[in-house]
Amino acid sequence: MAAGMELPPAGDPAIRVVAMPADTNANGDIFGGWLVSMMDLAAGTVASKHSKGRAATIAIDGMIFHRPVKVGDIVSVYADLRSVGRTSMKIEVAAWRQARDGSENERVTQATITFVAIDEQGRPRAVDG
């Protein structure tokens, strides 16, 4: 491993998926919106498990795209609960890419996604966790 090379977080990713041709933008790279949706799904899984119910995205903070994702890349999204309020949860999310035929991992983007626990009527509820 090269000096200064970053490693993915320890543990299993919340989501791992192969980027497909249908997920590309006009330049042939994977569309940023697809990657954001994968990150939202990963963080939403953590939020729903922690709050033991429905949770809705209310903010995405600090997202920076460091490098593109190519068709065929394996995308791993890691999600970690960082803080919990009365009804809200902040989840740190990072997406990493790996070429299908390679072993080197590269961080693609990261963000903090805030969720609010909601009841069946869509109103905020206390986090049960």
Side-chain angles (χ1 to χ4, degrees), residues 23-39:
D23 306 318
T24 59
N25 61 23
N27 297 318
D29 293 325
I30 296 303
F31 179 55
W34 177 85
L35 192 53
V36 171
S37 71
M38 294 300 107
M39 294 172 73

Side-chain angles (χ1 to χ4, degrees), residues 32-65:
W34 177 85
L35 192 53
V36 171
S37 71
M38 294 300 107
M39 294 172 73
D40 192 40
L41 286 170
T45 299
V46 170
S48 289
K49 281 184 180 181
H50 183 78
S51 67
K52 298 177 180 64
R54 292 177 65 190
T57 306
I58 60 168
I60 299 176
D61 298 321
M63 181 167 247
I64 298 170
F65 290 94

Side-chain angles (χ1 to χ4, degrees), residues 1 6 17 33 43 45-46 56 58 67 69 79 82 89 109 128:
M1 182 169 66
E6 196 176 10
V17 65
T45 299
V46 170
I58 60 168
R67 58 189 45 89
V69 174
R82 290 297 182 178
M89 297 155 282
T109 187
D128 295 334

Side-chain angles (χ1 to χ4, degrees), residues 64-105:
I64 298 170
F65 290 94
H66 301 287
R67 58 189 45 89
V69 174
K70 303 291 185 185
V71 171
D73 283 352
I74 299 165
V75 177
S76 298
V77 183
Y78 297 84
D80 186 41
L81 182 67
R82 290 297 182 178
S83 65
V84 178
R86 192 179 72 73
T87 63
S88 65
M89 297 155 282
K90 287 191 179 288
I91 299 164
E92 189 70 28
V93 187
W96 291 72
R97 66 161 292 278
Q98 181 182 63
R100 280 180 78 131
D101 58 356
S103 61
E104 185 176 306
N105 290 289

